[in-house]
Amino acid sequence: MKLAILPGDGIGPEIVAQAVKVLKALNLNIEMKEAPIGGAGYEAAGDPLPDATLQLAKNSDAVLLGAVGDWKYDKLERHLRPERGLLRIRKELNLFANLRPALLYPELADASTLKPEVVSGLDLMIIRELTGDIYFGQPRGISTLENGEREGINTMRYNESEIRRIGRVAFDIAMKRNKKVCSIDKANVLETTELWRQVMTELSTEYPEVELTHMYVDNAAMQLIRAPKQFDVMVTGNIFGDILSDEASMLTGSIGMLPSASLDANNKGMYEPSHGSAPDIAGKDIANPLATILSVAMMLRYTFNDESNALKVENSVKASLAQGYRTADIVTHGCKKVGCSAMGDAVVAALN
Ligand code: IPM
Ligand code: MG
């Protein structure tokens, strides 16, 4: 098995180091090679996705990514900015299915800003389409009109086959869970998502056991904090999924707890925490590495078909939390506050 390690920027390198530590402790036969992406790619090769990095990712079975982005690159031309490297690698590898599970560990019920009874027992899977929508639609850009005024354009678009393939992922996953899919759209206003709703409805006839419901995205944003346990699988497009998954992460106590998998049609995947690069806390050894460590568990499960080691990693995270270890973002009264690297050590210790 070949794994590409792309630490990226900000807290990326330190959280990835913890995830690699956990992976190595499992003693699996995985060949790991590292390469720069994002701001690190720009520094190394003048490109947020250097060719060598893309080639390495293409030739690997899976990619483990930290995070990209730093304010210091905000003034660069758009195509040189760190985020572009991330969007391009998703597109180049055809990673259209983004799985973002929001799971509340019972130990963290107090860390959520919501009441424990609202979030306890939460186990929700957000499935976000990742290679289409307004993120990639043409035309796009900022241009100057005849009257001298500037205009910004982005285009929300989806074709049927793109909607159907992400819908299938959602229905297939729901079959292994509680058999409920809630499709999120804005079909009352946007034609793109009117088509989305039609295609999801057509597809649902192939999955008679799964209950399909539809919800407008504004209502979904409200329902997620009102009564999040009504959801099993949520499926939605790229931009709505970006926003709703950040919202859902806070149900779990901290965005530092949310892993993700981005899969192509053959379960090749890129695994990364759902959070960003947090440059303000980079290098201080205070970031929460658990989302990245849990992303390794997803990698073992989805790409390496190794459910037993996936569970082992997840159970070790649970055990570390049960022992009271907390990074700053999830610390509550009476717990042992530890840094990023000590949290990684706690998970490794729990493995053995
Ligand atoms: C995410 C991030 C990215 C996105 C950014 C960094 C480009 O917010 O993975 O959710 O918008 O997809
Ligand atoms: Mg996001």
Short mmCIF file of all heavy atoms in Angstrom, two decimals, residues 238-292:
data_model
loop_
_atom_site.label_atom_id
_atom_site.label_comp_id
_atom_site.label_asym_id
_atom_site.label_seq_id
_atom_site.Cartn_x
_atom_site.Cartn_y
_atom_site.Cartn_z
N ASN A 238 -21.75 20.88 -3.22
CA ASN A 238 -20.46 21.31 -2.72
C ASN A 238 -20.55 22.50 -1.76
O ASN A 238 -20.04 22.43 -0.64
CB ASN A 238 -19.58 21.67 -3.93
CG ASN A 238 -18.10 21.50 -3.65
OD1 ASN A 238 -17.68 21.43 -2.51
ND2 ASN A 238 -17.32 21.45 -4.70
N ILE A 239 -21.23 23.56 -2.15
CA ILE A 239 -21.24 24.76 -1.32
C ILE A 239 -22.10 24.58 -0.06
O ILE A 239 -21.69 24.94 1.04
CB ILE A 239 -21.66 26.01 -2.12
CG1 ILE A 239 -21.57 27.29 -1.29
CG2 ILE A 239 -23.06 25.91 -2.71
CD1 ILE A 239 -20.21 27.88 -1.20
N PHE A 240 -23.28 23.97 -0.22
CA PHE A 240 -24.12 23.75 0.97
C PHE A 240 -23.42 22.80 1.94
O PHE A 240 -23.46 22.95 3.15
CB PHE A 240 -25.49 23.18 0.59
CG PHE A 240 -26.34 24.09 -0.27
CD1 PHE A 240 -27.40 23.58 -1.02
CD2 PHE A 240 -26.10 25.46 -0.33
CE1 PHE A 240 -28.19 24.40 -1.80
CE2 PHE A 240 -26.89 26.29 -1.11
CZ PHE A 240 -27.94 25.76 -1.86
N GLY A 241 -22.75 21.80 1.39
CA GLY A 241 -22.05 20.81 2.22
C GLY A 241 -20.88 21.43 2.96
O GLY A 241 -20.58 21.06 4.10
N ASP A 242 -20.21 22.37 2.32
CA ASP A 242 -19.11 23.07 2.98
C ASP A 242 -19.63 23.77 4.23
O ASP A 242 -19.05 23.65 5.32
CB ASP A 242 -18.51 24.10 2.00
CG ASP A 242 -17.39 24.90 2.63
OD1 ASP A 242 -16.54 24.29 3.30
OD2 ASP A 242 -17.36 26.14 2.47
N ILE A 243 -20.73 24.47 4.07
CA ILE A 243 -21.27 25.28 5.17
C ILE A 243 -21.89 24.39 6.25
O ILE A 243 -21.60 24.54 7.44
CB ILE A 243 -22.31 26.28 4.61
CG1 ILE A 243 -21.61 27.22 3.61
CG2 ILE A 243 -22.96 27.07 5.74
CD1 ILE A 243 -22.55 28.02 2.74
N LEU A 244 -22.73 23.44 5.84
CA LEU A 244 -23.42 22.62 6.83
C LEU A 244 -22.45 21.73 7.62
O LEU A 244 -22.69 21.44 8.79
CB LEU A 244 -24.50 21.75 6.16
CG LEU A 244 -25.70 22.52 5.58
CD1 LEU A 244 -26.66 21.54 4.91
CD2 LEU A 244 -26.42 23.36 6.64
N SER A 245 -21.35 21.31 6.97
CA SER A 245 -20.43 20.43 7.71
C SER A 245 -19.67 21.22 8.78
O SER A 245 -19.36 20.68 9.84
CB SER A 245 -19.50 19.67 6.78
OG SER A 245 -18.68 20.54 6.03
N ASP A 246 -19.37 22.48 8.53
CA ASP A 246 -18.77 23.29 9.61
C ASP A 246 -19.78 23.43 10.75
O ASP A 246 -19.42 23.34 11.92
CB ASP A 246 -18.39 24.69 9.10
CG ASP A 246 -16.92 24.79 8.71
OD1 ASP A 246 -16.38 23.78 8.22
OD2 ASP A 246 -16.32 25.88 8.88
N GLU A 247 -21.02 23.66 10.39
CA GLU A 247 -22.04 23.83 11.43
C GLU A 247 -22.16 22.53 12.24
O GLU A 247 -22.15 22.56 13.48
CB GLU A 247 -23.39 24.19 10.80
CG GLU A 247 -24.42 24.57 11.85
CD GLU A 247 -25.83 24.72 11.31
OE1 GLU A 247 -26.05 24.50 10.11
OE2 GLU A 247 -26.71 25.06 12.11
N ALA A 248 -22.22 21.41 11.54
CA ALA A 248 -22.40 20.13 12.22
C ALA A 248 -21.23 19.80 13.13
O ALA A 248 -21.37 19.15 14.16
CB ALA A 248 -22.58 19.01 11.19
N SER A 249 -20.04 20.28 12.74
CA SER A 249 -18.86 19.95 13.55
C SER A 249 -19.01 20.47 14.98
O SER A 249 -18.55 19.86 15.92
CB SER A 249 -17.60 20.52 12.91
OG SER A 249 -17.55 21.92 13.10
N MET A 250 -19.69 21.60 15.12
CA MET A 250 -19.80 22.17 16.47
C MET A 250 -20.74 21.34 17.36
O MET A 250 -20.71 21.47 18.58
CB MET A 250 -20.27 23.62 16.41
CG MET A 250 -19.14 24.59 16.07
SD MET A 250 -17.57 24.25 16.92
CE MET A 250 -17.98 24.70 18.59
N LEU A 251 -21.56 20.50 16.74
CA LEU A 251 -22.40 19.61 17.54
C LEU A 251 -21.54 18.61 18.29
O LEU A 251 -21.92 18.08 19.33
CB LEU A 251 -23.39 18.86 16.65
CG LEU A 251 -24.28 19.71 15.72
CD1 LEU A 251 -25.01 18.82 14.75
CD2 LEU A 251 -25.25 20.54 16.54
N THR A 252 -20.37 18.33 17.72
CA THR A 252 -19.52 17.30 18.30
C THR A 252 -18.55 17.87 19.32
O THR A 252 -17.65 17.20 19.79
CB THR A 252 -18.68 16.60 17.20
OG1 THR A 252 -17.71 17.55 16.72
CG2 THR A 252 -19.55 16.14 16.06
N GLY A 253 -18.72 19.14 19.65
CA GLY A 253 -17.85 19.75 20.65
C GLY A 253 -16.84 20.68 20.04
O GLY A 253 -16.58 21.76 20.55
N SER A 254 -16.23 20.26 18.94
CA SER A 254 -15.21 21.10 18.33
C SER A 254 -15.01 20.67 16.88
O SER A 254 -15.10 19.49 16.55
CB SER A 254 -13.89 20.92 19.08
OG SER A 254 -12.82 21.43 18.32
N ILE A 255 -14.68 21.63 16.04
CA ILE A 255 -14.36 21.28 14.65
C ILE A 255 -13.09 20.43 14.61
O ILE A 255 -12.83 19.72 13.65
CB ILE A 255 -14.25 22.55 13.78
CG1 ILE A 255 -14.26 22.18 12.31
CG2 ILE A 255 -13.03 23.38 14.16
CD1 ILE A 255 -14.51 23.32 11.36
N GLY A 256 -12.35 20.45 15.71
CA GLY A 256 -11.14 19.63 15.81
C GLY A 256 -11.41 18.14 15.94
O GLY A 256 -10.49 17.34 16.05
N MET A 257 -12.70 17.76 15.94
CA MET A 257 -13.06 16.34 16.08
C MET A 257 -13.55 15.71 14.77
O MET A 257 -13.84 14.53 14.72
CB MET A 257 -14.17 16.19 17.12
CG MET A 257 -13.78 16.54 18.54
SD MET A 257 -12.40 15.57 19.16
CE MET A 257 -13.06 13.90 19.07
N LEU A 258 -13.71 16.53 13.71
CA LEU A 258 -14.41 16.03 12.52
C LEU A 258 -13.45 15.55 11.41
O LEU A 258 -12.79 16.35 10.79
CB LEU A 258 -15.29 17.15 11.97
CG LEU A 258 -16.58 16.72 11.31
CD1 LEU A 258 -17.57 16.27 12.36
CD2 LEU A 258 -17.18 17.85 10.50
N PRO A 259 -13.41 14.25 11.15
CA PRO A 259 -12.55 13.74 10.08
C PRO A 259 -13.27 13.84 8.74
O PRO A 259 -14.44 14.22 8.69
CB PRO A 259 -12.36 12.27 10.45
CG PRO A 259 -13.64 11.90 11.13
CD PRO A 259 -14.14 13.16 11.81
N SER A 260 -12.58 13.50 7.66
CA SER A 260 -13.30 13.40 6.39
C SER A 260 -12.57 12.47 5.44
O SER A 260 -11.37 12.24 5.56
CB SER A 260 -13.48 14.78 5.74
OG SER A 260 -12.34 15.13 4.98
N ALA A 261 -13.36 11.92 4.52
CA ALA A 261 -12.83 11.10 3.45
C ALA A 261 -13.36 11.67 2.15
O ALA A 261 -14.52 12.02 2.06
CB ALA A 261 -13.31 9.65 3.60
N SER A 262 -12.48 11.78 1.15
CA SER A 262 -12.92 12.22 -0.18
C SER A 262 -12.57 11.11 -1.15
O SER A 262 -11.40 10.80 -1.35
CB SER A 262 -12.21 13.51 -0.57
OG SER A 262 -12.39 14.49 0.42
N LEU A 263 -13.61 10.49 -1.71
CA LEU A 263 -13.40 9.26 -2.46
C LEU A 263 -13.70 9.41 -3.94
O LEU A 263 -14.59 10.18 -4.33
CB LEU A 263 -14.31 8.16 -1.90
CG LEU A 263 -14.20 7.88 -0.40
CD1 LEU A 263 -15.26 6.87 0.03
CD2 LEU A 263 -12.81 7.38 -0.06
N ASP A 264 -12.97 8.64 -4.77
CA ASP A 264 -13.32 8.56 -6.19
C ASP A 264 -14.21 7.34 -6.39
O ASP A 264 -14.65 6.70 -5.41
CB ASP A 264 -12.07 8.53 -7.07
CG ASP A 264 -11.33 7.20 -7.05
OD1 ASP A 264 -11.77 6.26 -6.34
OD2 ASP A 264 -10.30 7.09 -7.73
N ALA A 265 -14.47 6.98 -7.63
CA ALA A 265 -15.41 5.89 -7.89
C ALA A 265 -14.87 4.53 -7.46
O ALA A 265 -15.62 3.56 -7.34
CB ALA A 265 -15.78 5.88 -9.37
N ASN A 266 -13.53 4.44 -7.25
CA ASN A 266 -12.93 3.16 -6.88
C ASN A 266 -12.44 3.12 -5.44
O ASN A 266 -11.57 2.31 -5.09
CB ASN A 266 -11.76 2.85 -7.81
CG ASN A 266 -12.18 2.91 -9.25
OD1 ASN A 266 -13.17 2.30 -9.63
ND2 ASN A 266 -11.45 3.67 -10.05
N ASN A 267 -12.96 4.05 -4.63
CA ASN A 267 -12.56 4.13 -3.22
C ASN A 267 -11.11 4.49 -2.99
O ASN A 267 -10.57 4.27 -1.91
CB ASN A 267 -12.90 2.85 -2.44
CG ASN A 267 -14.38 2.76 -2.18
OD1 ASN A 267 -15.10 3.77 -2.23
ND2 ASN A 267 -14.85 1.57 -1.92
N LYS A 268 -10.44 5.02 -4.02
CA LYS A 268 -9.19 5.69 -3.73
C LYS A 268 -9.58 6.95 -2.99
O LYS A 268 -10.59 7.56 -3.30
CB LYS A 268 -8.46 6.04 -5.02
CG LYS A 268 -7.26 6.95 -4.78
CD LYS A 268 -6.43 7.12 -6.03
CE LYS A 268 -5.26 8.07 -5.74
NZ LYS A 268 -4.22 7.93 -6.75
N GLY A 269 -8.81 7.36 -1.99
CA GLY A 269 -9.29 8.48 -1.21
C GLY A 269 -8.22 9.40 -0.69
O GLY A 269 -7.07 9.04 -0.54
N MET A 270 -8.68 10.61 -0.43
CA MET A 270 -7.85 11.58 0.27
C MET A 270 -8.52 11.81 1.62
O MET A 270 -9.74 11.99 1.70
CB MET A 270 -7.77 12.87 -0.53
CG MET A 270 -6.85 13.88 0.10
SD MET A 270 -6.33 15.12 -1.09
CE MET A 270 -7.71 16.25 -0.96
N TYR A 271 -7.72 11.78 2.66
CA TYR A 271 -8.25 11.85 4.02
C TYR A 271 -7.69 13.08 4.71
O TYR A 271 -6.48 13.30 4.70
CB TYR A 271 -7.89 10.56 4.77
CG TYR A 271 -8.54 9.38 4.08
CD1 TYR A 271 -7.92 8.75 3.00
CD2 TYR A 271 -9.82 8.98 4.43
CE1 TYR A 271 -8.56 7.73 2.31
CE2 TYR A 271 -10.45 7.95 3.76
CZ TYR A 271 -9.83 7.33 2.70
OH TYR A 271 -10.46 6.33 2.01
N GLU A 272 -8.58 13.88 5.26
CA GLU A 272 -8.14 15.12 5.89
C GLU A 272 -9.14 15.52 6.97
O GLU A 272 -10.32 15.17 6.90
CB GLU A 272 -8.04 16.24 4.84
CG GLU A 272 -9.32 16.43 4.06
CD GLU A 272 -9.29 17.59 3.04
OE1 GLU A 272 -8.85 18.69 3.42
OE2 GLU A 272 -9.73 17.38 1.90
N PRO A 273 -8.66 16.27 7.96
CA PRO A 273 -9.62 16.81 8.93
C PRO A 273 -10.52 17.81 8.20
O PRO A 273 -10.10 18.41 7.21
CB PRO A 273 -8.72 17.52 9.94
CG PRO A 273 -7.46 17.85 9.19
CD PRO A 273 -7.27 16.73 8.21
N SER A 274 -11.73 18.02 8.71
CA SER A 274 -12.64 18.96 8.05
C SER A 274 -12.27 20.42 8.35
O SER A 274 -12.76 21.32 7.72
CB SER A 274 -14.08 18.73 8.50
OG SER A 274 -14.52 17.46 8.09
N HIS A 275 -11.42 20.59 9.35
CA HIS A 275 -11.08 21.97 9.73
C HIS A 275 -9.96 22.53 8.87
O HIS A 275 -9.35 21.83 8.07
CB HIS A 275 -10.71 22.02 11.21
CG HIS A 275 -9.52 21.17 11.57
ND1 HIS A 275 -8.25 21.47 11.18
CD2 HIS A 275 -9.44 20.02 12.28
CE1 HIS A 275 -7.42 20.55 11.65
NE2 HIS A 275 -8.12 19.65 12.30
N GLY A 276 -9.65 23.79 9.09
CA GLY A 276 -8.64 24.47 8.29
C GLY A 276 -7.26 24.47 8.94
O GLY A 276 -6.99 23.66 9.84
N SER A 277 -6.40 25.37 8.48
CA SER A 277 -4.99 25.34 8.85
C SER A 277 -4.68 26.14 10.13
O SER A 277 -3.56 26.09 10.62
CB SER A 277 -4.16 25.89 7.70
OG SER A 277 -4.67 27.17 7.34
N ALA A 278 -5.66 26.90 10.61
CA ALA A 278 -5.53 27.64 11.87
C ALA A 278 -4.16 28.26 12.09
O ALA A 278 -3.49 27.96 13.09
CB ALA A 278 -5.91 26.73 13.05
N PRO A 279 -3.70 29.13 11.19
CA PRO A 279 -2.34 29.70 11.32
C PRO A 279 -2.11 30.41 12.65
O PRO A 279 -0.97 30.47 13.12
CB PRO A 279 -2.23 30.69 10.15
CG PRO A 279 -3.52 30.67 9.42
CD PRO A 279 -4.40 29.61 9.98
N ASP A 280 -3.19 30.89 13.28
CA ASP A 280 -3.01 31.61 14.55
C ASP A 280 -2.48 30.72 15.66
O ASP A 280 -1.86 31.20 16.61
CB ASP A 280 -4.34 32.28 14.98
CG ASP A 280 -5.51 31.31 14.98
OD1 ASP A 280 -5.51 30.36 14.15
OD2 ASP A 280 -6.42 31.47 15.81
N ILE A 281 -2.73 29.41 15.59
CA ILE A 281 -2.22 28.53 16.66
C ILE A 281 -1.14 27.57 16.15
O ILE A 281 -0.72 26.67 16.87
CB ILE A 281 -3.36 27.73 17.34
CG1 ILE A 281 -4.10 26.84 16.32
CG2 ILE A 281 -4.35 28.66 18.04
CD1 ILE A 281 -4.96 25.77 17.00
N ALA A 282 -0.66 27.80 14.92
CA ALA A 282 0.34 26.88 14.35
C ALA A 282 1.65 26.94 15.11
O ALA A 282 2.07 28.01 15.57
CB ALA A 282 0.57 27.22 12.88
N GLY A 283 2.27 25.78 15.23
CA GLY A 283 3.60 25.71 15.84
C GLY A 283 3.60 25.82 17.36
O GLY A 283 4.65 25.82 17.99
N LYS A 284 2.43 25.88 17.96
CA LYS A 284 2.37 26.05 19.42
C LYS A 284 2.09 24.75 20.15
O LYS A 284 1.95 24.74 21.37
CB LYS A 284 1.28 27.07 19.78
CG LYS A 284 1.56 28.47 19.24
CD LYS A 284 0.49 29.46 19.73
CE LYS A 284 0.77 30.86 19.20
NZ LYS A 284 -0.42 31.71 19.24
N ASP A 285 1.93 23.67 19.39
CA ASP A 285 1.62 22.36 19.98
C ASP A 285 0.35 22.41 20.83
O ASP A 285 0.28 21.81 21.90
CB ASP A 285 2.82 21.86 20.82
CG ASP A 285 2.66 20.37 21.19
OD1 ASP A 285 2.15 19.60 20.35
OD2 ASP A 285 3.03 20.00 22.32
N ILE A 286 -0.67 23.13 20.33
CA ILE A 286 -1.95 23.14 21.06
C ILE A 286 -3.12 22.66 20.21
O ILE A 286 -4.24 22.55 20.68
CB ILE A 286 -2.29 24.54 21.65
CG1 ILE A 286 -2.33 25.59 20.54
CG2 ILE A 286 -1.29 24.94 22.72
CD1 ILE A 286 -2.81 26.97 21.03
N ALA A 287 -2.87 22.39 18.92
CA ALA A 287 -3.96 21.99 18.03
C ALA A 287 -4.47 20.59 18.41
O ALA A 287 -3.76 19.79 18.99
CB ALA A 287 -3.48 21.99 16.58
N ASN A 288 -5.72 20.33 18.05
CA ASN A 288 -6.32 19.02 18.30
C ASN A 288 -6.02 18.09 17.12
O ASN A 288 -6.48 18.34 16.01
CB ASN A 288 -7.84 19.22 18.45
CG ASN A 288 -8.56 17.94 18.81
OD1 ASN A 288 -7.98 16.85 18.73
ND2 ASN A 288 -9.82 18.06 19.20
N PRO A 289 -5.28 17.01 17.34
CA PRO A 289 -4.94 16.12 16.22
C PRO A 289 -6.00 15.03 15.97
O PRO A 289 -5.84 14.21 15.08
CB PRO A 289 -3.64 15.47 16.70
CG PRO A 289 -3.82 15.37 18.19
CD PRO A 289 -4.65 16.58 18.60
N LEU A 290 -7.08 15.04 16.77
CA LEU A 290 -7.99 13.88 16.70
C LEU A 290 -8.73 13.78 15.37
O LEU A 290 -8.96 12.68 14.86
CB LEU A 290 -8.97 13.90 17.88
CG LEU A 290 -8.32 13.69 19.25
CD1 LEU A 290 -9.37 13.73 20.36
CD2 LEU A 290 -7.53 12.37 19.31
N ALA A 291 -9.10 14.91 14.76
CA ALA A 291 -9.78 14.83 13.46
C ALA A 291 -8.88 14.15 12.43
O ALA A 291 -9.35 13.37 11.60
CB ALA A 291 -10.19 16.23 12.99
N THR A 292 -7.58 14.44 12.50
CA THR A 292 -6.65 13.83 11.53
C THR A 292 -6.44 12.35 11.86
O THR A 292 -6.39 11.50 10.96
CB THR A 292 -5.30 14.59 11.55
OG1 THR A 292 -5.58 15.98 11.61
CG2 THR A 292 -4.50 14.30 10.30
#
